[in-house]
Amino acid sequence: MRHRIGVGAAVTALALAGLSPTAATAQAAETLTVDLASSTGAFHGGATGVLYGLGDPGVPSRDLIAGMEPRTIAQKPPDGEQHPNGDAIVVAEDFFASGGTDIYINSQDAYSAWPYQDLGIEDYAAKVRAQLDVVARRPDRDRFVWTIFNEPDWIWYGDWAGRKQKFFSDWTRIYRLVKSVLPNARIDGPGESYYNPGRLRDFFAYAAANNVLPDITTWHELSPESLNSFRAHLADYRSIERSLGISPRPVNITEYSNRRDTSVPGQMIQWISMLEDGKVDGQLAFWSVAGNLSDQAVRTARANGGWWLTKWYADLSGDTVRVTPPRPNTRDTLQGLATLDRADREATVLLGGTANPVAVAVTGIDTSVFGGTVDVRVSKVAWTGYEGDAGRPPVVAASRLPVVNGRLTVPVPGGDRLAAYRVSITPAGTGAAPTADEPWSTRQEAESGIVENAVVVTQDGDPQRYTASGGKDVGYLDKAASRVTVTATVPRDGTYRLGVIYGTGGFVGKQALYVDNAHRQDLTFPATLNWQYRGRLDTPVQLTAGTHRISLRTSNPGGFIGAPSNITLDRIDLAEVTGPERTAYPLADARRTGGTVVHTPPVALRSPRALTLNPGERATTWVSAAEDAYYALSTRWTSAGGSRVDIALSDRGVAGGELSATGGGTYEGSLTVHLRAGITKVVLTNGGSTPVTLGTLTSVRAAGADQRSVVVEAEAGLLSGGARVEASPWASRGSYVGWLGNGSTFTVPRPAATRTAGQYNLTVAYAQADKNTGHAYNTDAITRFMTAGEAGGRTTRAPYRHNYTWNGFWAETSPIDLTTASGALVFGNSTGWAPNVDWVGISPLLAAKSVTPAN
């Protein structure tokens, strides 16, 4: 039901939200209705599982896995040959340690070919038996689910009329084999490539009659039309269960989405809301690279916009409530889901899928839970490309609104079909009304600029094409006079972040940046998987107030750049930079063990809400960092007596980093620590004996501490074995060390600044593009590992994910604990090849600590 509000109330809401009534009404808003009084059941949280989302230990990082918190993943069986990585047993520790529930084993992925070789059921049974023997030895064996057939509707059993009985016989053979070895094992099926009610009815009738029913029902939804039809498919399947007298099975859609969807918040929210509405699990399809959470992870530990949406989803709690979009069951339109957590007194709405402004009409607001006035915050997560790093989503609108007859309407700005939004509603605090924190920004589609000696290419229309902002990009920038020029008007003199969404053909790109026809600098674009698998490059530029022509060109003052300039350009963004990188994380929004949300905290905490932790209780948040560098993490807390707050980074306690106060009162504590670029899981624990009330965790770039880091060029080390120095224009000083591993090493003496035992971070600028080449559409990237052996101390092993090129370098940071004062570091890999290395950096984890009374 559409909620009507008077003109005065509408104008007040818009003004408080920081929006112009005239601008907001210039384009008609769509209405998303949320009824907080109509529960649709407990929040399920299973929609963001992944197929081959984990590749190897540490790929992706546990921090990214834990933030996304997929309930289920599907991986290959032990020693399976379908892909070079993604072994269920190998990745199990990372998954379960990060909060995962079940690992599905795709047993047929034992085979190397796609579609699978058909060598007979006895050959397959022998492979399954070997898999069972491995899993049976594990104490967590019941956390593995067995996918004994994958897409049998076209693999091995496509002729249903002629092969139906053969499938039934083979299903029974493998089903009973699994149960004979693991009586408690869960088996899913039939796992068909699309919803086929006739085949499902035949299968379930047979399975029920022969006592071989799957424990979990699975099929795939791999068409954009699934956004129109899935709810009908699920309802039809439930009717089949009822008609056959079968108890309701859990459902997992073990492959869903297309290339155009993954990483794109405005597309992903449509799938997530649909699956959550049905209280079923789902696993994002594997289209590109294993180990990147089905395109939600950037590199190893960074997040794109899609990851932040999945984190928002994992943050939800309480009950889901009824949400009515303007056009239910219609692809590529506004969709959403909402939850009500009565214990925390918070309602949350996730929405997206439209470029229009949205009026979120909330009804059924219980004033005994929320009071008569509420604080509303609207956050936006934009699409940043598949390999485009995204920081914490900004609050784009905020207001303090009265609740009238259990209702209010929240305006959500439009203009971005690829974005998703989160609306948070909480009781009004006692301090100032909430405010937005989004910096001034603008964006320009490359194809809408002046395109010279290049081609505008339409990318939308095919769901298996990767997404382009605006549906088009500019390619074939392969001539000396090729260029794209856009115009932007900025409000003030100052620094702006220029963000370019681009793609390369698996090589490092280079173009010249011109502002107002003057050459500013050359931009180096890290390699991406292909020209459409887009990354994002951010560069600071100085601009004066007014209008500027920003041009990306294939020639610089020295002439034609050549092949590296032939990249695709999708979008050019500008955002104002007003100081050092600074981000706030309200701890009332953190995930926690125990703890109580405080809606009227002490004024001295300078936080609209707070979180009280009893001794031993903890709060977990995820902090983003744009660089591998030092950041000051600070928080305020109050306590009635002596207090201590312990901080752990990526499940690694910070030695000497406890924040302690001897008496009661309000304190501010700060740690200056070295963070890896991307996402770090930060856990704050009440390590004292009295309750503490915490406000906000704030992260601020601490450039002054960077002098603690020491960088050593790899070629300056002592090389052994077959390791050798190679030339590269993309290396920091024109050369790097290659052919490392398999006995070849380079040794770096301990720099003077690191000659103390303790906790450090190791940053390595590396390149490696190792892969298998036999799969029909998956890249089959291979992770390489490198060890850092401390003379007289321990050896640390870290993964280095495929980065699309052999001589373009990514910086990757991992922990290293040094136990001697001066032991040299030996880099290599005794069991295989290591990546190529440009330089290594060593940084003490903790640079500074302070605790001071606060007023």
Side-chain angles (χ1 to χ4, degrees):
M1 177 173 92
R2 185 178 178 117
H3 169 49
R4 293 173 57 89
I5 59 176
V7 172
V11 171
T12 299
L14 290 166
L16 286 170
L19 302 173
S20 162
T22 301
T25 56
Q27 186 176 14
E30 298 184 67
T31 299
L32 185 80
T33 301
V34 177
D35 185 357
L36 297 183
S38 296
S39 171
T40 58
F43 172 66
H44 182 67
T48 54
V50 279
L51 172 63
Y52 280 91
L54 279 64
D56 295 280
V59 181
S61 70
R62 288 190 181 185
D63 292 356
L64 286 183
I65 301 168
M68 184 178 184
E69 202 173 18
R71 279 168 49 94
T72 69
I73 58 173
Q75 307 284 149
K76 75 175 184 179
D79 301 318
E81 298 181 4
Q82 181 68 197
H83 301 292
N85 51 15
D87 187 306
I89 303 303
V90 172
V91 303
E93 183 177 353
D94 276 358
F95 180 66
F96 292 139
S98 302
T101 301
D102 294 326
I103 297 178
Y104 286 51
I105 293 179
N106 280 357
S107 289
Q108 284 177 298
D109 280 6
Y111 292 102
S112 61
W114 179 259
Y116 309 118
Q117 305 100 305
D118 187 354
L119 304 180
I121 195 63
E122 292 309 314
D123 180 85
Y124 180 45
K127 286 180 167 55
V128 173
R129 180 58 197 246
Q131 299 166 22
L132 289 164
D133 289 344
V134 172
V135 175
R137 295 193 291 267
R138 295 179 61 93
D140 57 3
R141 55 188 170 271
D142 291 339
R143 300 184 71 175
F144 293 86
V145 178
W146 294 85
T147 302
I148 57 177
F149 290 97
N150 178 37
E151 299 189 340
D153 50 324
W154 74 279
I155 299 177
W156 296 2
Y157 310 98
D159 176 11
W160 192 237
R163 301 279 289 175
K164 175 167 61 175
Q165 295 305 319
K166 173 63 172 167
F167 175 62
F168 290 164
S169 173
D170 289 355
W171 170 272
T172 301
R173 170 84 171 85
I174 303 302
Y175 182 101
R176 290 177 176 166
L177 171 61
V178 173
K179 294 288 189 177
S180 71
V181 178
L182 295 172
N184 296 326
R186 289 165 294 158
I187 296 171
D188 74 86
E192 298 199 325
S193 64
Y194 65 97
Y195 184 78
N196 187 319
R199 289 178 64 115
L200 274 178
R201 180 174 289 277
D202 289 349
F203 169 75
F204 275 96
Y206 169 84
N210 291 274
N211 197 30
V212 289
L213 280 169
D215 302 283
I216 301 166
T217 298
T218 56
W219 70 86
H220 298 167
E221 296 278 359
L222 292 170
S223 166
E225 296 306 310
S226 296
L227 294 168
N228 302 338
S229 58
F230 170 71
R231 287 182 176 88
H233 293 169
L234 182 61
D236 183 72
Y237 165 68
R238 293 302 186 198
S239 72
I240 291 173
E241 285 180 327
R242 290 191 297 271
S243 70
L244 296 174
I246 297 171
S247 59
R249 317 269 102 178
V251 170
N252 193 326
I253 305 305
T254 45
E255 293 187 35
Y256 77 86
S257 76
N258 303 112
R259 286 187 178 97
R260 72 177 194 136
D261 302 311
T262 54
S263 85
V264 185
Q267 292 297 123
M268 288 297 302
I269 187 59
Q270 299 174 57
W271 292 95
I272 292 171
S273 59
M274 180 178 72
L275 295 169
E276 179 63 35
D277 191 46
K279 304 302 180 188
V280 303
D281 290 339
Q283 293 171 354
L284 286 154
F286 169 31
W287 294 118
S288 304
V289 180
N292 74 350
L293 298 175
S294 294
D295 298 331
Q296 316 310 313
V298 175
R299 304 190 182 186
T300 297
R302 306 185 188 194
N304 60 26
W307 182 87
W308 282 103
L309 173 65
T310 65
K311 180 192 175 294
W312 281 353
Y313 175 68
D315 287 340
L316 297 175
S317 58
D319 284 358
T320 53
V321 296
R322 189 170 308 284
V323 175
T324 306
R327 289 180 287 171
N329 302 313
T330 304
R331 60 176 279 191
D332 301 339
T333 63
L334 172 63
Q335 304 294 325
L337 71 148
T339 57
L340 171 62
D341 188 324
R342 287 181 171 272
D344 283 354
R345 302 170 68 192
E346 181 171 16
T348 305
V349 186
L350 304 182
L351 66 144
T354 180
N356 296 325
V358 177
V360 180
V362 185
T363 65
I365 302 173
D366 187 344
T367 54
S368 69
V369 174
F370 290 94
T373 306
V374 294
D375 285 344
V376 179
R377 298 169 182 84
V378 180
S379 301
K380 174 184 177 180
V381 57
W383 182 63
T384 55
Y386 297 82
E387 282 285 356
D389 196 6
R392 189 220 67 180
V395 176
V396 297
S399 57
R400 179 165 288 168
L401 297 175
V403 177
V404 181
N405 297 324
R407 301 168 180 252
L408 64 84
T409 295
V410 180
V412 175
D416 193 348
R417 185 182 65 82
L418 303 184
Y421 299 84
R422 179 180 66 178
V423 177
S424 172
I425 303 172
T426 57
T430 55
T435 58
D437 61 12
E438 182 185 34
W440 177 93
S441 64
T442 186
R443 65 181 190 180
Q444 310 291 330
E445 296 294 339
E447 66 272 14
S448 299
I450 300 172
V451 177
E452 300 175 69
N453 298 295
V455 178
V456 174
V457 181
T458 299
Q459 298 291 353
D460 60 1
D462 181 350
Q464 288 299 56
R465 286 192 177 190
Y466 293 105
T467 284
S469 177
K472 300 176 182 179
D473 64 10
V474 177
Y476 302 96
L477 289 142
D478 54 3
K479 302 174 183 64
S482 297
R483 65 183 63 177
V484 172
T485 304
V486 299
T487 300
T489 302
V490 301
R492 286 168 288 277
D493 295 356
T495 303
Y496 292 82
R497 185 180 67 246
L498 176 73
V500 182
I501 295 182
Y502 71 96
T504 81
F507 56 84
V508 178
K510 182 178 181 180
Q511 289 193 345
L513 170 65
Y514 282 74
V515 177
D516 300 328
N517 215 36
H519 179 256
R520 287 290 186 91
Q521 65 182 99
D522 289 346
L523 302 180
T524 299
F525 296 86
T528 64
L529 176 63
N530 56 50
W531 275 285
Q532 286 75 47
Y533 195 82
R534 306 176 203 284
R536 176 184 165 117
L537 177 69
D538 289 331
T539 304
V541 294
Q542 298 295 318
L543 298 173
T544 56
T547 300
H548 298 277
R549 289 166 53 85
I550 297 171
S551 184
L552 293 170
R553 304 181 183 182
T554 57
S555 293
N556 60 20
F560 182 36
I561 294 170
S565 64
N566 187 15
I567 68 176
T568 60
L569 297 175
D570 185 14
R571 198 178 76 205
I572 299 171
D573 299 341
L574 276 177
E576 187 175 19
V577 178
T578 57
E581 179 187 353
R582 179 186 182 92
T583 314
Y585 303 87
L587 293 174
D589 295 336
R591 298 180 203 168
R592 62 187 193 272
T593 58
T596 303
V597 173
V598 179
H599 292 279
T600 55
V603 173
L605 288 183
R606 298 180 183 174
S607 181
R609 296 189 300 155
L611 178 66
T612 297
L613 297 177
N614 290 315
E617 294 178 340
R618 61 183 184 270
T620 302
T621 191
W622 281 260
V623 170
S624 67
E627 304 175 67
D628 297 284
Y630 283 96
Y631 289 78
L633 303 181
S634 60
T635 188
R636 288 190 170 208
W637 73 89
T638 62
S639 178
S643 56
R644 192 181 87 194
V645 177
D646 298 332
I647 294 181
L649 308 175
S650 304
D651 296 321
R652 181 191 191 194
V654 179
E658 61 277 357
L659 303 175
S660 300
T662 56
T666 302
Y667 296 89
E668 179 165 343
S670 177
L671 296 182
T672 299
V673 291
H674 189 269
L675 298 181
R676 69 191 306 177
I679 301 299
T680 297
K681 185 176 79 168
V682 179
V683 179
L684 295 90
T685 302
N686 182 350
S689 58
T690 58
V692 296
T693 299
L694 294 149
T696 297
L697 180 70
T698 302
S699 170
V700 181
R701 178 74 171 89
D706 289 348
Q707 60 185 344
R708 302 289 299 274
S709 296
V710 179
V711 173
V712 179
E713 294 292 327
E715 62 270 27
L718 177 65
L719 277 59
S720 73
R724 61 177 184 253
V725 176
E726 304 277 3
S728 169
W730 311 118
S732 63
R733 294 188 180 177
S735 60
Y736 65 90
V737 174
W739 302 98
L740 286 167
N742 287 315
S744 300
T745 66
F746 73 93
T747 301
V748 174
R750 282 276 284 281
T754 66
R755 289 181 182 171
T756 304
Q759 294 178 305
Y760 292 83
N761 276 351
L762 173 67
T763 303
V764 177
Y766 80 96
Q768 73 93 1
D770 202 359
K771 65 179 179 179
N772 284 357
T773 58
H775 198 273
Y777 56 87
N778 296 129
T779 301
D780 277 352
I782 293 173
T783 298
R784 288 191 172 188
F785 290 83
M786 187 167 69
T787 57
E790 179 189 8
R794 63 181 65 172
T795 296
T796 302
R797 184 172 185 256
Y800 296 91
R801 204 204 89 175
H802 181 287
N803 78 329
Y804 311 123
T805 179
W806 286 107
N807 69 350
F809 300 91
W810 286 358
E812 188 62 51
T813 294
S814 57
I816 184 169
D817 293 335
L818 301 178
T819 59
T820 72
S822 59
L825 297 178
V826 182
F827 295 92
N829 183 352
S830 62
T831 60
W833 289 112
N836 298 334
V837 177
D838 183 11
W839 53 262
V840 297
I842 308 171
S843 307
L845 178 63
L846 178 63
K849 178 180 80 169
S850 67
V851 177
T852 57
N855 297 318

